[in-house]
Amino acid sequence: MEIGITGASGQLGASLVRYALARTSAANIVAITRNPGKLEQFSQQGVEVRAGDFSQPSELAAAFRDIERLVIIPTTELQPGVRIQQHKAAIEAAAGSGVQHLIYISTVSPRPDPNNTLFDSHFATEQALIASGVDWTILRMSVYTDALLDAAKRAAASGSYAAVPGAPAAYVVRDDLAAAAAGILCAPGHVGI
């Protein structure tokens, strides 16, 4: 079974590739990124690295070729409407390339909201995923605990800590999310949840 991981050169993607390597042979893994040169460490281990950019839909069919199960990690693009189009292009290319199961890393409580690009993009992507006709799984994450560490470092350096008040959050460690995603990606099942 060939599995694919988009955004493989990012922090979550690279961690996911490492966890996948612990669960399956490198020959079964395709790491997809805009910057293939950043993944030399994985290609040296036998992972196939392919170029794939959600902003360049014409190259996604080749990136997703022969992949059975694919994780879609959200892009970092937060311009209104752009991220939604990128994700829809990835879903359409995956379905057109014969991917059998799509796993999307979403967020807690996505909802249509033109005033919140993040929630709006996750909601629209989930709807496109469900309507794609491909088996799907949605893995919902919350705020990364890692962000608290970054904020603590900035506070220690500046002598002050500032935060926006808001609802409580159930933080998640990025590495734990990668481990969970690898478990879903490398094993059959988890369809429609």
Side-chain angles (χ1 to χ4, degrees), residues 59-188:
E59 65 184 48
L60 293 177
F64 299 157
R65 181 188 75 253
D66 298 326
I67 292 174
E68 295 173 39
R69 296 170 69 86
L70 176 70
V71 171
I72 295 178
I73 294 177
T75 69
T76 57
E77 178 61 63
L78 291 179
Q79 286 283 5
V82 175
R83 188 182 209 193
I84 293 169
Q85 293 310 311
Q86 290 173 326
H87 293 175
K88 285 181 178 179
I91 291 167
E92 289 171 10
S97 297
V99 173
Q100 297 167 17
H101 190 149
L102 292 168
I103 297 120
Y104 177 62
I105 308 290
S106 189
T107 192
V108 176
S109 302
R111 58 191 173 273
D113 185 345
N115 298 313
N116 187 318
T117 302
L118 187 66
F119 287 132
D120 195 50
S121 68
H122 284 299
F123 179 81
T125 302
E126 287 186 12
Q127 296 306 303
L129 183 66
I130 292 165
S132 71
V134 175
D135 286 345
W136 54 268
T137 302
I138 298 169
L139 181 58
R140 292 196 169 132
M141 66 174 172
S142 191
V143 179
Y144 291 138
T145 304
D146 315 54
L148 294 175
L149 296 174
D150 294 338
K153 289 176 189 174
R154 287 190 302 276
S158 69
S160 66
Y161 176 74
V164 177
Y171 291 95
V172 63
V173 176
R174 184 183 284 121
D175 203 53
D176 289 349
L177 179 63
I184 294 168
L185 178 64
C186 294

